[in-house]
Amino acid sequence: MSTLLEDPREFSQEKKAELLSVLQERFEKNSSRHPEINWVNVNEKLEAHTHKLWSLYLMETTGGEPDVIGYEKGCFQFYDCAPESPKGRRSVCYDRDALESRKKNKPENNAIDMATSMGIQILTEAQYRSLQRLVEVDKKTSSWIQTPDDIREKGGALFCDYRFGHVFTYHNGADSYYSSRGFRGVLNV
């Protein structure tokens, strides 16, 4: 894909066709992620819900490498399947409250607001573990995951990574940010 477009009005038919081609190629190359799903059905759903293409475009251009990993409740589920946490979504704290609480050295953004603006949701711990059963990700990076309210209310947030053949879930201050931590998203189409 080419450069990131900031305005969905700039999302031309040519860009949509380019995105669909990238998604189809990835889908066909990684059939083990979705053995019982046919691209024709996915494409029909995308054509019926073209507004979701903008979210997939943002997932792609921020380095997420979105792919279909399942079908649930009438929707195809696209997850970020990039080997490492998407590069264009790293160095962010967890949410707006965490960002505003930092007095110095604030990151440029936060994971929750970025995901919302992209039209996606941050993975839950269960979704993260499900993804790891299909493809090992975050061997060198880590990804914020949805954090339960009782943890968040105390200033914490959760993240996961994959080390030593296992998924690990950790906690950190929600206002922390690291160049190797970003977030992975899910989009239901």
Side-chain angles (χ1 to χ4, degrees), residues 94 125 143-148 151 156-160 169-171:
Y94 183 72
E125 182 177 3
S143 296
W144 290 114
I145 59 170
Q146 288 184 30
T147 299
I151 295 173
L158 301 178
F159 66 96
C160 292
T169 301
Y170 308 92
H171 62 88

Side-chain angles (χ1 to χ4, degrees), residues 74-185:
C75 293
F76 292 104
Q77 298 173 312
F78 283 85
Y79 279 34
D80 287 308
C81 294
E84 301 300 338
S85 194
K87 195 168 191 136
R89 299 185 235 154
R90 294 185 199 165
S91 296
V92 295
C93 61
Y94 183 72
D95 60 13
R96 176 155 303 281
D97 288 343
L99 181 65
E100 291 175 357
S101 74
R102 288 192 68 96
K103 302 299 179 215
K104 293 194 225 176
N105 304 317
K106 290 185 179 198
E108 290 184 30
N109 212 332
N110 68 83
I112 297 296
D113 285 353
M114 281 184 78
T116 300
S117 72
M118 294 171 67
I120 64 175
Q121 294 182 329
I122 291 178
L123 296 182
T124 64
E125 182 177 3
Q127 289 169 328
Y128 188 91
R129 289 179 181 279
S130 174
L131 174 62
Q132 291 285 4
R133 286 191 287 277
L134 298 173
V135 57
E136 294 174 357
V137 299
D138 288 336
K139 292 180 178 181
K140 298 176 186 170
T141 57
S142 60
S143 296
W144 290 114
I145 59 170
Q146 288 184 30
T147 299
D149 290 342
D150 62 329
I151 295 173
R152 186 61 201 96
E153 288 167 3
K154 294 177 178 134
L158 301 178
F159 66 96
C160 292
D161 65 21
Y162 186 82
R163 305 289 194 273
F164 310 109
H166 294 276
V167 173
F168 290 91
T169 301
Y170 308 92
H171 62 88
N172 215 176
D175 64 342
S176 67
Y177 67 99
Y178 301 94
S179 62
S180 63
R181 182 173 310 145
F183 68 92
R184 294 177 178 278

Side-chain angles (χ1 to χ4, degrees), residues 11-28:
F11 197 39
S12 66
Q13 287 303 114
E14 184 180 309
K15 289 281 184 196
K16 288 177 186 176
E18 182 183 350
L19 174 63
L20 286 169
S21 176
V22 168
L23 293 173
Q24 181 178 1
E25 183 178 328
R26 183 175 299 126
F27 181 92
E28 291 170 353

